[in-house]
Amino acid sequence: MRPMKRFLSSLLCFIVFQTCFCLYEDQIGKFDWRQQYVGKVETTYWDQAGKRILVATERNVIASLSSHNGSIVWRQIFEEGPRGQIDAFLHQDKTLLSVCGGGHYIRSWNSQTGSLMWEAVGGQTDNGRYGWAIISLTVSEQLLLSTSDEFFSFDVSNGKQLWKENLPNEDNSLYEFIVPRGDIIFIIGISPGSHVSILESNLKGQLNSERRTVPATWVSQNTGCDTVADNFLLCYSSGSQSLQLLDFVESTTFVSITLQDIGLKVDSQVRIERLPSSVRTKNSYVLLRFNPDHVAVVRPSSNGITLVKDLPGVSISEMNQLDDHDVLLTLGKISPEEIKLTGYELGLGGEMAGLSQIIKFSGNHGLPVKMNALLFRKKDGRTAHRITMLSEDYSLQLLQKSGQNTFSFPWVREEALSHILAAEMVDLPVSENQAKFEEEFGSQEDDIITMFLKRFSTQISQLHTFTEHFVHKLLGNRHHHSQLEEEEELIRDEFNLNKIIIMATAAGKIYAMQSWNTEIVWQHFLPDLSPFNRYGEPNLLLYTQRTTAHFPHPPQYVVIGRNKKSGRGMVFAFNPITGEALNGQPSSGLHLNYELSQAAILAEMDEHFLKPVLLIDTEHKVYAFPETTSKVIEQTVTPLFLYLTDIDSGMMSGFKVSSRNAELVADKVWHINLQRKQQVITNVVGKRTVEHVHSQGRVLGDRSVLYKYLNPNLVVVTAEGEESGAALQKGPSNFVNIYLVDAITGHILFHATHHRAKGPINIVHSENWIVYNYFNQKNRRHEIAVLELYEGKEQTNSTAFSSFTAQIQPLVMRQSYIFPMQMSAIATTITEKGITNKNLIIALKLGGILSLPKALLDPRRPVMPTPETMEEGTIPYIPEIPVNTEAILNYNQSLYAVRHIHTAPAGLESTSLVLAYGLDIFFTRVTPSKMFDVLKEDFDYFFISVVLGMMTLVSFVSQKCAQRKALSRAWK
Amino acid sequence: MATKKKLHKWIVDFTGASRPKNERQVAVADLRAPVGYYEGGGGGMVEAGSKDADQALLVKKSWDIALGPVKQIPMNMFIMWMAGNSISIFPIMMIGMMFFRPIQAFISIQNTFSMIEGNQGPLQKFVYLLGNCVCMALAVYKCQTMGLLPTHASDWLAFMEPLARIEWSGGGAMV
């Protein structure tokens, strides 16, 4: 029996995987593409005399970019989260060093190939203080590394730890600076609220036992400080609005200098721009920033601080050296579409003619934020300039001289695309003819005559375009120009497979990309837009208010975020095809005068086919956007409910929206306390509103129907916590709770606890099922669980679903499986009508995107297969979910740090479009039930038509022959 | 064949089949009856001679027609049993035939009934009808055993409309 069973199950598995989607070699890159990014650049260095740019980024990536075209030469990706956070990145001569995870991992890289030279383990990260490690290189090729309480030295050539010293830390000193000065190393720590301490050490790691402390009661954790040259510490005290200068080698007190003293008249806060540690000691100037477009350069000396240059209207400036002269380069925006580059020769005082120019600069990049210039003399004596520039929208650009003394940007890297927070796919508008067609059949009010006239005019115009097309064809392809124009027009294709992808990014920039060739159609930068960030997870909301189907109304999308300065709500409604602001809004977005706590989109449309968006402020007041649509909400017959989850207090509450005195109000109708003391809510997931469920039930082996429990208002809530009490003795023990809550009544339909389980949990909630993953601490493996909800064999109401009359307790079936790999995101395919089978799209941490048939995650999989289950077509239960390499959608194009997968339906029922984004972007299409609605690509039209023609011919001939034969037989 | 053809060295065509159409018709119409031929005669004399024996023959022949469908039933049942319940081309063809025959019989029932004569006519007609109905019922039964009849709720599942949404909700974790 047993081998038989095994054979059967393996056979079934084989059959299932026969249907998997996989590519042929020549299909690579035909339907899919990948874009690689590095993330928001934090530090840049020039390498190989300006041929390469070395960068370290916020997405825990170090990379080398080609300065020729901006492409990635090599890229190394560290872990996500604080463990991979880059604390320091240092490039000096041939050495390239990176420090990650609070001084824990020190790595040395070959800057040409990106291969790892050595890796060393430094300080412990027990105290959870990341990002404080600092490094410095001494003259004798010694790497100095300081964490919050330890001080290390490594040999740069091989990574051997030379010595290690403990730093006195009883006064919560944060050691932020290491300054090598000849044979002495100064370590400067800051104790917020009391003093600054200075330690001295020699190159052998012998700490001078005496620790000097300089009283500084004004210093706090946020105080901006930097070291200048090798003997000054400059801080800005925001309380007294003064600069504090300390000569830490000789002096023992801070010298306070107000801004007025040095001739600066500024009333805003001042920030001291920090320099990379490798250039800090050589530099004797400090850049003060007052505003995003006002900086000043000062120079500290033993006599105090002297103002070198006050630069209003300048966004960034940088000190550089050319022929032993100090050159100050500044960049500032002078008009929305232009920036001005100016070079000052500080020794001589004048502007440098060759370095001062006005350059065209797109307004979609915001203000320049950082620059890194490389000035050198070529062999023929002319100066060459290369400047990398980072802008407010996270874009990295190269500014260089091209041709006759004009500067230009040869390339731009849109690094905001590695910080996508929300994405949607937009249908392209139909062509003019089709639009007329739809107009004709769309309206029902017209009488017969007008309809006839419309029909007539449509056909005339069709004939016209046809003849035009025909004439063009006859004339040959000489009119390349017009053809190009035709291609540029954005028109829906036959199967609606090509879309425009709208992406809202953390930089406050919105992109529209063509899904078929990755070209950016438009980009729009909103300088004030920032993501919501209440719980440390940045988030932007993107809703479809009107699709492209309502010609002649333009489609409308809306991005909802937070104002960077005020923290209040911000809304931007736009046309996704052109990027224009709609509703008479300014192109910088609409600023609300309240703080948002949630938003929701309605299903009902107003007379212009616009779906209203509900905005809920922190006082639970409800606003409609646009305001004109509030009438729709007042008149709507559908009861409207909202639910909010406060993760800080662990409370879920439900509200009923109604209109009172021409104002929308939300009345609280229920609340659930999820015990914040014991657990933290990690996910609140509802269903996607665009989803269609075609089949209302499931056919069982005996041909009866098991009806699905299709509650559109079902919400999945997960909470994680740590076990207390006896369970703790077996080692660390966590638990995961999962709740299914009806958002209308607040009723908990189902609750399950996974003991000894841990997140992070990814959830897919679709139709009548929920799939989620967790880490099983007991067996130390990843598991994936599925819940399916059924009403039973009878349906309570076969026409409508109301949470008030629906059955209280649906039938919940569940099963869990071992998943052999760690995953970072899950999504499910979605199709136009929901007829096609569903596949789960799983982003693996290893870099693959797995397409897994939902049939493998089916709680009805029987442990013992019977003829009835075979009839139903369920696969016998096997605990492991196989990861088949043929089901990896992105073959060898690995994707790392995937944050989210977005799926969208195509015009073909069989096809679903998949967009995975995170650090990189990957787009492809999947066909979970194969291409059942189109002929295969390799379908031989010629052969089939020849065979058909031949058969018709043969049947004619044979008919004639038969007739003649019958006639002659009649004569016998 | 060739030798046969050569035997007819000459032919006189009395039927007029080889003549043009208009000529032929005229010729046939012009033919007169032979001498001594009486149009109404002959038949009446035969009728009078063997009336009883014919009546019995007629009833027997009519019963043959009436029992035709009933006689098919055992054969049909045997074929049904042989064909099995799997859905493949031969059982489907067989079922098609099983349906086709009674339906054909129903369509041409007027003709068949006109052939049935004699005093047992109504009974025979009824038996004929019944036999066909039984054949039909057998075909339906076979469909049922093969699972081709949409008698279960699951067969109508694809036509069910999605549930209308009575309440609308939105929200999530606070942003």
Side-chain angles (χ1 to χ4, degrees):
Chain A
M1 189 63 205
R2 244 186 119 78
M4 180 65 194
K5 202 173 111 188
R6 197 167 293 170
F7 169 71
L8 259 178
S9 50
S10 58
L11 187 81
L12 269 164
C13 252
F14 178 73
I15 292 163
V16 164
F17 282 108
Q18 280 284 299
T19 62
C20 271
F21 175 83
C22 67
L23 287 172
Y24 290 105
E25 202 179 344
D26 60 338
Q27 286 177 315
I28 287 175
K30 218 168 174 190
F31 321 114
D32 57 286
W33 47 260
R34 176 182 65 164
Q35 297 279 90
Q36 287 189 311
Y37 296 96
V38 293
K40 181 191 177 189
V41 174
E42 301 265 273
T43 322
T44 58
Y45 291 104
W46 284 100
D47 186 34
Q48 296 178 35
K51 273 190 212 146
R52 301 264 186 275
I53 305 156
L54 298 171
V55 294
T57 73
E58 211 182 77
R59 294 299 306 266
N60 304 354
V61 169
I62 61 168
S64 171
L65 308 175
S66 158
S67 69
H68 177 61
N69 55 9
S71 61
I72 297 171
V73 179
W74 56 261
R75 186 176 78 162
Q76 296 288 348
I77 304 157
F78 301 132
E79 289 166 272
E80 279 181 275
R83 276 167 65 92
Q85 194 182 323
I86 299 166
D87 304 317
F89 184 62
L90 195 135
H91 177 59
Q92 211 164 312
D93 303 325
K94 287 205 169 150
T95 320
L96 181 66
L97 295 164
S98 74
V99 179
C100 288
H104 196 58
Y105 303 102
I106 304 111
R107 296 181 179 106
S108 170
W109 307 91
N110 181 329
S111 66
Q112 291 201 6
T113 60
S115 49
L116 184 68
M117 311 288 280
W118 52 259
E119 184 183 64
V121 175
Q124 293 300 310
T125 53
D126 293 342
N127 55 9
R129 217 155 44 189
Y130 294 102
W132 278 113
I134 34 161
I135 53 174
S136 189
L137 278 179
T138 63
V139 191
S140 53
E141 294 289 281
Q142 220 175 348
L143 166 69
L144 305 172
L145 167 75
S146 133
T147 62
S148 53
D149 46 13
E150 279 167 317
F151 188 44
F152 300 86
S153 172
F154 295 92
D155 188 336
V156 168
S157 58
N158 57 16
K160 278 216 177 89
Q161 188 178 315
L162 299 174
W163 45 261
K164 174 185 153 186
E165 282 293 329
N166 285 325
L167 293 175
N169 199 20
E170 62 274 9
D171 50 1
N172 295 323
S173 280
L174 303 171
Y175 292 96
E176 279 195 60
F177 303 99
I178 309 173
V179 186
R181 184 186 161 94
D183 291 342
I184 308 168
I185 306 157
F186 289 93
I187 308 149
I188 302 167
I190 290 169
S191 299
S194 67
H195 58 267
V196 168
S197 45
I198 297 141
L199 279 165
E200 282 174 42
S201 161
N202 62 7
L203 288 177
K204 295 208 173 67
Q206 283 149 343
L207 279 181
N208 197 339
S209 55
E210 179 201 348
R211 184 169 74 146
R212 287 188 287 146
T213 57
V214 181
T217 46
W218 43 267
V219 79
S220 77
Q221 217 155 8
N222 304 322
T223 304
C225 291
D226 200 7
T227 57
V228 192
D230 52 4
N231 58 344
F232 290 115
L233 176 72
L234 184 71
C235 294
Y236 175 73
S237 153
S238 51
S240 61
Q241 294 205 335
S242 58
L243 293 167
Q244 305 281 343
L245 183 70
L246 172 72
D247 184 347
F248 56 77
V249 181
E250 285 162 2
S251 172
T252 51
T253 50
F254 273 99
V255 181
S256 174
I257 301 145
T258 58
L259 293 172
Q260 282 82 5
D261 290 347
I262 54 170
L264 279 169
K265 289 194 185 86
V266 184
D267 45 4
S268 60
Q269 291 296 307
V270 177
R271 222 176 70 222
I272 295 173
E273 294 278 294
R274 276 204 195 189
L275 293 171
S277 56
S278 57
V279 293
R280 219 181 260 155
T281 49
K282 292 182 220 149
N283 182 45
S284 54
Y285 299 92
V286 178
L287 186 66
L288 303 178
R289 180 181 289 283
F290 309 113
N291 270 324
D293 55 351
H294 187 185
V295 293
V297 182
V298 292
R299 179 179 191 158
S301 63
S302 46
N303 303 328
I305 302 172
T306 47
L307 176 69
V308 179
K309 231 167 187 81
D310 183 16
L311 300 160
V314 164
S315 300
I316 28 171
S317 75
E318 199 206 30
M319 293 305 303
N320 224 299
Q321 298 235 313
L322 184 69
D323 307 336
D324 297 330
H325 291 299
D326 281 335
V327 174
L328 176 72
L329 288 171
T330 65
L331 268 176
K333 215 160 184 172
I334 53 168
S335 79
E337 296 285 323
E338 281 169 321
I339 53 167
K340 191 179 180 194
L341 173 77
T342 323
Y344 299 97
E345 219 157 350
L346 281 186
L348 310 166
E351 268 187 37
M352 295 168 76
L355 260 174
S356 300
Q357 201 160 35
I358 291 167
I359 308 144
K360 275 226 153 28
F361 181 66
S362 164
N364 278 326
H365 295 299
L367 294 170
V369 173
K370 264 179 201 165
M371 71 191 277
N372 186 2
L374 183 74
L375 306 181
F376 56 94
R377 286 235 183 258
K378 282 188 194 161
K379 276 173 196 156
D380 56 1
R382 287 187 298 159
T383 51
H385 324 279
R386 275 186 186 159
I387 302 167
T388 58
M389 193 179 87
L390 184 76
S391 310
E392 258 184 311
D393 69 334
Y394 301 178
S395 68
L396 183 72
Q397 305 184 60
L398 180 79
L399 182 59
Q400 72 172 16
K401 227 174 215 177
S402 59
Q404 290 299 316
N405 276 341
T406 47
F407 279 93
S408 67
F409 296 103
W411 51 262
V412 52
R413 287 190 66 87
E414 299 286 354
E415 291 301 340
L417 287 173
S418 64
H419 296 259
I420 300 172
L421 297 178
E424 283 286 340
M425 289 190 212
V426 190
D427 294 345
L428 287 165
V430 289
S431 66
E432 205 180 320
N433 270 329
Q434 263 176 304
K436 271 187 194 162
F437 227 72
E438 258 167 49
E439 204 183 342
E440 188 184 338
F441 293 106
S443 67
Q444 270 116 36
E445 297 122 39
D446 295 337
D447 56 289
I448 288 177
I449 299 165
T450 47
M451 273 173 86
F452 175 74
L453 285 177
K454 256 189 194 174
R455 165 89 284 197
F456 199 69
S457 63
T458 315
Q459 285 196 334
I460 293 255
S461 81
Q462 270 175 336
L463 190 73
H464 178 73
T465 44
F466 174 74
T467 45
E468 231 173 36
H469 203 78
F470 195 68
V471 166
H472 267 287
K473 241 184 185 173
L474 282 183
L475 289 174
N477 285 336
R478 267 173 284 165
H479 300 281
H480 286 294
H481 183 66
S482 65
Q483 254 194 346
L484 272 177
E485 261 178 18
E486 246 169 73
E487 272 173 15
E488 273 165 23
E489 221 174 319
L490 293 171
I491 281 180
R492 192 180 296 185
D493 61 318
E494 202 179 349
F495 296 133
N496 196 5
L497 287 165
N498 294 340
K499 308 255 182 181
I500 283 188
I501 308 170
I502 302 289
M503 294 174 279
T505 64
K509 197 170 185 184
I510 303 161
Y511 291 88
M513 198 186 254
Q514 293 176 355
S515 76
W516 59 100
N517 61 1
T518 74
E519 200 177 287
I520 290 171
V521 189
W522 56 264
Q523 42 186 298
H524 189 87
F525 179 56
L526 297 156
D528 294 331
L529 182 71
S530 73
F532 299 111
N533 205 349
R534 191 182 292 264
Y535 307 111
E537 271 290 305
N539 187 12
L540 275 176
L541 301 172
L542 177 63
Y543 292 116
T544 311
Q545 282 199 290
R546 182 163 54 212
T547 60
T548 28
H550 306 288
F551 185 82
H553 296 287
Q556 183 170 337
Y557 275 57
V558 62
V559 168
I560 303 167
R562 207 166 60 99
N563 189 311
K564 213 176 270 176
K565 291 166 198 151
S566 64
R568 289 175 181 160
M570 199 181 150
V571 179
F572 178 61
F574 57 96
N575 179 340
I577 308 296
T578 60
E580 289 159 1
L582 291 175
N583 279 348
Q585 282 186 356
S587 62
S588 59
L590 186 73
H591 300 277
L592 307 173
N593 51 10
Y594 43 86
E595 241 180 276
L596 287 178
S597 65
Q598 214 1 298
I601 188 156
L602 254 70
E604 313 249 342
M605 296 188 243
D606 73 352
E607 67 272 22
H608 301 301
F609 308 103
L610 197 67
K611 288 181 186 171
V613 169
L614 287 184
L615 304 169
I616 305 108
D617 73 357
T618 39
E619 257 88 64
H620 304 319
K621 256 181 144 178
V622 180
Y623 305 85
F625 176 83
E627 276 165 33
T628 47
T629 54
S630 62
K631 247 185 291 160
V632 182
I633 303 164
E634 282 163 31
Q635 287 158 2
T636 179
V637 280
T638 324
L640 200 60
F641 291 83
L642 292 169
Y643 60 95
L644 292 177
T645 312
D646 187 357
I647 293 173
D648 289 333
S649 64
M651 294 288 272
M652 263 190 99
S653 30
F655 299 87
K656 187 175 191 306
V657 179
S658 48
S659 71
R660 209 177 292 149
N661 305 332
E663 225 179 34
L664 291 173
V665 277
D667 301 308
K668 195 167 175 181
V669 283
W670 56 264
H671 76 270
I672 304 170
N673 186 353
L674 288 172
Q675 305 299 327
R676 173 65 184 86
K677 277 182 194 155
Q678 286 153 31
Q679 57 185 11
V680 183
I681 299 171
T682 48
N683 283 291
V684 182
V685 184
K687 278 184 203 176
R688 288 182 70 177
T689 48
V690 288
E691 189 179 66
H692 289 278
V693 184
H694 182 257
S695 180
Q696 300 297 306
R698 231 179 119 152
V699 183
L700 302 186
D702 60 356
R703 298 181 65 199
S704 60
V705 178
L706 192 58
Y707 286 100
K708 292 175 182 172
Y709 179 79
L710 293 167
N711 185 348
N713 301 312
L714 192 69
V715 179
V716 187
V717 181
T718 60
E720 291 170 48
E722 257 180 60
E723 213 99 56
S724 57
L728 273 175
Q729 288 161 6
K730 291 177 213 154
S733 182
N734 297 50
F735 65 86
V736 170
N737 268 324
I738 178 154
Y739 303 89
L740 305 189
V741 181
D742 189 314
I744 306 296
T745 58
H747 174 63
I748 298 181
L749 292 164
F750 175 77
H751 165 227
T753 310
H754 294 276
H755 290 287
R756 305 203 68 183
K758 212 182 160 192
I761 296 172
N762 296 293
I763 296 185
V764 181
H765 186 189
S766 167
E767 293 195 4
N768 66 327
W769 50 266
I770 295 130
V771 170
Y772 58 96
N773 75 312
Y774 54 86
F775 180 72
N776 184 331
Q777 285 180 312
K778 189 179 173 193
N779 295 311
R780 299 181 149 274
R781 66 190 180 201
H782 294 278
E783 293 187 350
I784 188 162
V786 57
L787 298 178
E788 277 191 13
L789 289 91
Y790 292 100
E791 286 203 6
K793 297 210 171 177
E794 296 290 329
Q795 221 171 0
T796 44
N797 184 349
S798 61
T799 54
F801 191 97
S802 165
S803 296
F804 294 112
T805 56
Q807 133 197 38
I808 302 289
Q809 214 60 53
L811 206 65
V812 181
M813 295 178 164
R814 48 179 165 159
Q815 243 171 25
S816 61
Y817 310 86
I818 303 165
F819 195 78
M821 287 172 196
Q822 199 181 352
M823 58 181 89
S824 56
I826 324 182
T828 181
T829 55
I830 183 165
T831 52
E832 183 105 3
K833 299 267 179 262
I835 298 168
T836 312
N837 289 344
K838 293 238 167 197
N839 267 19
L840 289 167
I841 310 292
I842 301 172
L844 306 172
K845 285 256 169 155
L846 287 176
I849 302 282
L850 178 73
S851 174
L852 189 74
K854 168 70 179 55
L856 283 173
L857 293 172
D858 179 0
R860 294 188 51 78
R861 283 176 70 174
V863 180
M864 291 289 284
T866 59
E868 211 161 88
T869 60
M870 303 253 276
E871 179 77 30
E872 198 187 326
T874 45
I875 310 156
Y877 183 78
I878 308 164
E880 296 91 0
I881 295 286
V883 174
N884 193 303
T885 46
E886 280 159 26
I888 301 282
L889 294 176
N890 55 341
Y891 39 105
N892 61 356
Q893 306 214 40
S894 297
L895 287 181
Y896 300 103
V898 176
R899 290 211 171 157
H900 194 79
I901 300 170
H902 178 77
T903 53
L908 281 177
E909 170 56 31
S910 64
T911 311
S912 178
L913 305 173
V914 175
L915 176 81
Y917 55 86
L919 179 63
D920 300 341
I921 307 177
F922 178 74
F923 176 88
T924 191
R925 48 176 96 147
V926 284
T927 48
S929 305
K930 287 190 169 179
M931 298 284 273
F932 60 79
D933 47 4
V934 267
L935 291 175
K936 274 192 182 157
E937 258 192 357
D938 52 356
F939 185 79
D940 203 338
Y941 293 94
F942 178 73
F943 182 71
I944 297 284
S945 43
V946 161
V947 165
L948 272 179
M950 288 286 279
M951 273 164 77
T952 333
L953 201 75
V954 164
S955 64
F956 262 113
V957 169
S958 58
Q959 197 189 2
K960 284 277 175 233
C961 287
Q963 264 177 0
R964 191 175 293 172
K965 193 148 195 187
L967 193 68
S968 60
R969 191 178 287 153
W971 273 107
K972 270 153 225 170
Chain B
M1 293 270 258
T3 50
K4 237 183 178 179
K5 225 174 191 174
K6 276 178 187 169
L7 284 178
H8 310 292
K9 286 213 165 162
W10 52 269
I11 293 170
V12 178
D13 183 6
F14 293 108
T15 60
S18 61
R19 284 190 211 165
K21 217 177 181 182
N22 45 355
E23 246 177 81
R24 187 173 67 204
Q25 272 176 346
V26 173
V28 173
D30 283 349
L31 276 177
R32 284 186 192 163
V35 179
Y37 176 77
Y38 171 61
E39 254 183 49
M45 283 172 66
V46 174
E47 211 177 279
S50 56
K51 201 177 178 182
D52 287 346
D54 276 2
Q55 195 64 37
L57 211 68
L58 208 69
V59 170
K60 200 179 164 235
K61 193 141 175 9
S62 299
W63 269 119
D64 272 353
I65 296 169
L67 289 175
V70 181
K71 279 178 192 161
Q72 282 177 6
I73 291 172
M75 220 247 307
N76 272 350
M77 281 167 81
F78 179 69
I79 294 173
M80 264 167 63
W81 177 66
M82 287 296 284
N85 282 340
S86 65
I87 296 185
S88 57
I89 182 92
F90 287 107
I92 292 288
M93 268 165 68
M94 190 217 100
I95 284 198
M97 283 310 289
M98 277 171 76
F99 269 110
F100 187 65
R101 259 187 251 149
I103 287 168
Q104 222 176 13
F106 282 131
I107 289 167
S108 58
I109 204 155
Q110 286 295 338
N111 280 335
T112 322
F113 279 1
S114 68
M115 278 158 64
I116 294 175
E117 285 165 25
N119 46 8
Q120 290 176 359
L123 179 69
Q124 285 162 342
K125 283 176 186 171
F126 177 69
V127 168
Y128 181 77
L129 202 70
L130 192 76
N132 273 317
C133 285
V134 170
C135 275
M136 195 77 167
L138 268 182
V140 172
Y141 170 73
K142 183 67 190 168
C143 274
Q144 160 76 17
T145 53
M146 282 174 77
L148 293 177
L149 289 189
T151 49
H152 291 84
S154 57
D155 299 314
W156 304 97
L157 192 64
F159 301 99
M160 277 179 73
E161 287 295 311
L163 301 181
R165 196 169 173 173
I166 302 248
E167 295 99 6
W168 189 265
S169 72
M174 281 165 81
V175 291

